[in-house]
Amino acid sequence: MSSISQENTDVNAVIDAELQLMDPAVRASRSLAARLLDPEFVEVGASGRRWTYEEMLAALPELDGGGRDGDGDGPRFEASGMGGVVLAPGIVHLTYETVFDGRRARRSSLWRRRDGETGWQMYYHQATPVPAGD
């Protein structure tokens, strides 16, 4: 496989994983979400709050886009403009925008795949609110 083909495969796998993390059923399930988050995960949310792996796993079902009643059937984020770039072997940077309940955010995620592992895990995520009218 050519390096460009492998990069496209990696970016597509990360986009798929990012979309899984937006699925209310995944957000409502600690075990499903834990497979997609790196144990060293950190997020700076649109609120400015810093989240760790354990904090995120505990709160995810109650956050926007989660299955608040435990069935994973809540409202979903609407994502657009997803694109990614391979920064180094095993590291993908993904950017996109979301809309949730009328609020827009620009998002950036770093995903990594450790040596010898096949699955991608989100290592870092940041959301920045988009001002109204922008």
Side-chain angles (χ1 to χ4, degrees):
M1 182 180 295
S2 74
S3 64
I4 291 175
S5 180
Q6 182 61 52
E7 287 183 8
N8 288 338
T9 298
D10 290 347
V11 168
N12 287 334
V14 166
I15 289 172
D16 180 60
E18 186 91 29
L19 291 171
Q20 287 178 50
L21 272 174
M22 286 188 237
D23 184 326
V26 172
R27 295 171 80 82
S29 168
R30 184 179 176 97
S31 63
L32 292 176
R35 287 192 330 218
L36 295 168
L37 296 180
D38 189 285
E40 297 176 12
F41 170 83
V42 173
E43 174 173 331
V44 177
S47 66
R49 178 176 174 178
R50 184 181 183 277
W51 299 83
T52 66
Y53 174 81
E54 284 299 328
E55 290 168 337
M56 183 57 69
L57 287 178
L60 202 52
E62 300 300 318
L63 295 174
D64 286 346
R68 288 185 173 86
D69 55 7
D71 67 4
D73 196 27
R76 296 176 178 261
F77 282 91
E78 297 174 37
S80 64
M82 270 196 186
V85 62
V86 175
L87 299 178
I91 304 287
V92 172
H93 179 218
L94 192 65
T95 57
Y96 60 102
E97 285 194 14
T98 59
V99 175
F100 186 89
D101 196 27
R103 297 182 318 270
R104 288 178 49 214
R106 293 190 178 105
R107 298 182 177 269
S108 176
S109 300
L110 289 175
W111 288 77
R112 72 178 175 182
R113 183 179 59 209
R114 295 178 190 251
D115 288 340
E117 296 193 14
T118 57
W120 288 92
Q121 293 183 311
M122 184 185 285
Y123 175 74
Y124 180 80
H125 183 79
Q126 180 155 351
T128 304
V130 177
D134 189 5

